[in-house]
């Protein structure tokens, strides 16, 4: 029985994220990811244009979630204790939900460089503060 396109794509993404975290973005190959999923490099490239595209697919949900959280936060100046608690609770939930992507982006400079986050990495932290 063949997996659906969505299931294959999701399996490739899960495996890529775990492998990028374990071995690093730069040293991980599409062949390695494909072999772990049980597909060829060509199948990986069928779903993702390149290794950089695959990296973006695994990191973007986290990056977009942080952006949405910060855009939706409208604390007073200064924020009340309740507003602080609400924002920190939502941030903690987001970090737990996307902990592997966060781990990758925190520990792997090559991944941040590939995503163009080198100069922008501090921006969400600055917004949060």
């Amino acid at each position: 029985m063949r997996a659906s396109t969505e299931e294959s794509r999701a399996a490739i993404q899960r495996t890529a994220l775990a492998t990028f975290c374990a071995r690093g973005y730069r040293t991980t190959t599409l062949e390695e990811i494909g072999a772990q999923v049980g597909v060829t490099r060509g199948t990986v490239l069928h779903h993702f244009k390149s290794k950089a595209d695959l990296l973006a697919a695994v990191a973007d949900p986290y990056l977009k979630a942080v952006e949405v959280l910060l855009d939706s936060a409208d604390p007073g100046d200064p924020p009340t204790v309740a507003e602080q608690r609400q924002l920190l609770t939502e941030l903690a939930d987001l970090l737990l939900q996307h902990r592997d992507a966060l781990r990758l982006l925190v520990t792997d400079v090559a991944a941040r460089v590939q995503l163009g986050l080198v100069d922008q990495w501090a921006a969400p932290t600055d917004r949060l503060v």
Side-chain angles (χ1 to χ4, degrees):
M1 173 187 253
R2 289 191 69 162
S4 73
T5 299
E6 297 81 21
E7 290 170 340
S8 294
R9 185 175 171 87
I12 292 167
Q13 284 180 261
R14 281 190 308 274
T15 301
L17 182 55
T19 307
F20 290 156
C21 285
R23 295 186 21 83
Y25 171 73
R26 187 173 293 151
T27 59
T28 298
T29 66
L30 294 179
E31 291 85 359
E32 179 181 2
I33 293 167
Q36 290 180 38
V37 176
V39 300
T40 65
R41 177 182 187 275
T43 300
V44 174
L45 287 170
H46 172 76
H47 292 284
F48 302 95
K49 297 182 291 192
S50 64
K51 187 166 93 168
D53 185 44
L54 178 54
L55 174 65
V58 300
D60 279 350
Y62 165 71
L63 295 171
K64 287 179 181 174
V66 169
E67 188 175 321
V68 167
L69 174 64
L70 295 176
D71 286 347
S72 66
D74 189 25
D77 190 18
T80 66
V81 171
E83 290 170 333
Q84 292 173 12
R85 184 169 286 124
Q86 178 66 32
L87 181 59
L88 290 173
T89 299
E90 290 174 12
L91 180 62
D93 289 344
L94 184 149
L95 297 177
L96 288 171
Q97 181 181 0
H98 297 279
R99 66 180 154 259
D100 290 335
L102 175 63
R103 179 178 1 164
L104 174 64
L105 295 176
V106 166
T107 61
D108 194 326
V109 174
R112 289 195 310 270
V113 168
Q114 181 61 50
L115 292 167
L117 296 175
V118 174
D119 296 332
Q120 303 166 332
W121 186 240
T125 303
D126 292 343
R127 285 183 65 194
L128 182 62
V129 171

